[in-house]
Amino acid sequence: MDKKTKQKRVELFERQCRSQGVPFTVQRRAILETVLEFDNHPTAEQVHDAVTTRFPGISRTTVYRTLETLVQMGLITKACHPGSVVRYDRRIEVHHHLVCQRCEEVVDISDERLDALPVPDTSSLGFEVFDFRVQLRGICRRCRKKE
Amino acid sequence: MDKKTKQKRVELFERQCRSQGVPFTVQRRAILETVLEFDNHPTAEQVHDAVTTRFPGISRTTVYRTLETLVQMGLITKACHPGSVVRYDRRIEVHHHLVCQRCEEVVDISDERLDALPVPDTSSLGFEVFDFRVQLRGICRRCRKKE
DNA sequence: TACCAAATGATAATGATTGTCAAGTACAAA
DNA sequence: TTTGTACTTGACAATCATTATCATTTGGTA
Ligand SMILES: [Mn+2]
Ligand SMILES: [Mn+2]
Ligand SMILES: [Zn+2]
Ligand SMILES: [Zn+2]
């Protein structure tokens, strides 16, 4: 993610904090900046390790809490993942995922034809749809080589 | 899931066990039958609780192990989920999911237009695609009412 | 029926996440 | 700028989910 986009996101975060009366702390800022550095789908633990270099001694608890706050505020998302560890995603716009059924890795993919998906009407279910992700399930290169 | 479909799945499991030299144990059978009863996406713990009525004293460890085995053998799948608990899915055919961003519930949805998705060419990434799922992200009825 | 590789179950260990609460900080009001 | 206070943070413990270990049992086969 280029520096400009990153800065925009941090500024957006600050504005949202102000308008919602949420304190804009130095820890929260550091955590957001750190998660924006990852181009994959880090766990809270990985974010904690990484943010520690920028902010030594930051609490694991704070990282867990803040990541959840950032998701609630729409500044990052969670990547749906088959495994048992929560994974975060700096990408908030529509994009898609390759999900390896062997190693469970999730890799981003962009495809305009997938973006053009006709979203079905779910109003009869009472479900309001905001956006979507396509998960392509299969086997990644690394796992195929192992066989 | 109707009795017929369930029986077919169990028979398929038995055949695959025979051909792969995997013991077809009474525990494995009970676990498969139990997970096929769920019409949502149960956790291993939920499957354990349910299978206990059918097979008292069955070990939690065996349930965890067997569910993973069933996934590897293609008899059930994992439902990609934003939370930190693995969830299983008796549905193995292409279908799609509503994912509530508030309570993280995942609900099945079928839609022929979604099924007709044009799967992009991922060969340049070395990724071999078998099938796909669409996740519609939004807010479920229950969570909307709370607001 | 007897053998053996593999599964099971009891238990402990690990890993991830959440709850608690005293102490510190952001920020709005004075 | 100082002060008050609601909210956040960090240390720690507790909980929840999952995996490792290994003695015992069992399914499948000869
Ligand atoms: Mn992503
Ligand atoms: Mn499903
Ligand atoms: Zn893989
Ligand atoms: Zn909901």
Side-chain angles (χ1 to χ4, degrees):
Chain A
M1 185 178 270
D2 61 298
K3 192 166 270 183
K4 199 130 218 165
T5 314
K6 212 168 99 177
Q7 194 184 335
K8 288 259 187 244
R9 191 81 64 92
V10 174
E11 284 166 8
L12 175 62
F13 178 40
E14 178 161 12
R15 255 180 286 129
Q16 289 197 212
C17 283
R18 305 289 179 218
S19 71
Q20 296 177 33
V22 174
F24 181 67
T25 66
V26 54
Q27 289 94 335
R28 282 175 171 159
R29 185 197 176 111
I31 291 166
L32 175 57
E33 285 176 347
T34 300
V35 75
L36 294 181
E37 301 280 356
F38 285 87
D39 63 353
N40 51 11
H41 304 106
T43 66
E45 214 62 29
Q46 289 174 316
V47 174
H48 177 254
D49 288 350
V51 79
T52 291
T53 69
R54 188 186 300 244
F55 197 116
I58 193 170
S59 159
R60 181 173 275 97
T61 312
T62 299
V63 174
Y64 275 87
R65 268 186 310 225
T66 299
L67 287 169
E68 222 42 44
T69 302
L70 292 172
V71 171
Q72 294 313 313
M73 294 177 72
L75 289 150
I76 60 175
T77 60
K78 284 191 190 188
C80 286
H81 198 272
S84 66
V85 188
V86 174
R87 287 172 178 275
Y88 296 91
D89 193 333
R90 70 181 181 187
R91 298 184 68 172
I92 53 181
E93 79 285 3
V94 172
H95 70 289
H96 311 288
H97 288 138
L98 301 172
V99 184
C100 179
Q101 304 298 292
R102 190 78 71 232
C103 67
E104 301 195 334
E105 199 186 3
V106 176
V107 179
D108 285 337
I109 181 180
S110 292
D111 184 282
E112 291 182 5
R113 304 216 304 164
L114 294 183
D115 297 349
L117 190 81
V119 175
D121 178 27
T122 55
S123 54
S124 64
L125 297 165
F127 195 98
E128 183 180 6
V129 175
F130 298 151
D131 69 351
F132 58 89
R133 305 277 186 272
V134 176
Q135 300 185 326
L136 301 176
R137 300 157 36 104
I139 306 283
C140 76
R141 168 177 280 149
R142 193 144 28 101
C143 289
R144 281 172 65 200
K145 279 189 181 161
K146 283 186 193 160
E147 297 184 0
Chain B
M1 183 177 273
D2 62 297
K3 192 164 270 183
K4 199 130 217 166
T5 314
K6 213 168 99 177
Q7 194 184 334
K8 287 259 187 242
R9 191 79 64 91
V10 174
E11 284 166 9
L12 174 62
F13 179 39
E14 178 161 11
R15 256 179 285 128
Q16 288 195 213
C17 283
R18 305 287 179 218
S19 71
Q20 296 177 34
V22 173
F24 181 67
T25 67
V26 54
Q27 288 93 336
R28 281 175 173 161
R29 184 196 177 112
I31 292 165
L32 175 57
E33 284 176 348
T34 300
V35 74
L36 294 181
E37 301 280 357
F38 285 89
D39 63 355
N40 51 10
H41 302 108
T43 66
E45 214 63 29
Q46 289 174 315
V47 174
H48 177 254
D49 289 351
V51 79
T52 290
T53 69
R54 189 187 298 247
F55 197 115
I58 192 170
S59 161
R60 182 174 275 99
T61 313
T62 297
V63 173
Y64 275 86
R65 268 187 309 224
T66 298
L67 287 169
E68 222 42 44
T69 302
L70 292 172
V71 171
Q72 293 315 312
M73 293 176 73
L75 289 149
I76 60 175
T77 61
K78 285 192 190 186
C80 286
H81 199 272
S84 65
V85 188
V86 174
R87 286 172 178 272
Y88 296 91
D89 193 335
R90 70 182 181 187
R91 298 185 67 171
I92 53 181
E93 79 284 2
V94 171
H95 71 289
H96 311 289
H97 289 138
L98 302 172
V99 184
C100 178
Q101 304 298 291
R102 189 80 70 234
C103 67
E104 302 195 333
E105 199 186 3
V106 175
V107 180
D108 285 338
I109 181 180
S110 291
D111 185 281
E112 291 182 3
R113 302 215 306 164
L114 294 182
D115 297 348
L117 189 82
V119 175
D121 178 27
T122 56
S123 54
S124 64
L125 297 165
F127 194 98
E128 184 181 5
V129 174
F130 299 151
D131 69 351
F132 58 88
R133 304 278 187 271
V134 176
Q135 301 186 324
L136 301 176
R137 299 157 37 102
I139 307 281
C140 75
R141 168 177 280 148
R142 191 145 28 101
C143 289
R144 280 171 63 198
K145 278 188 181 162
K146 283 185 194 161
E147 296 183 1

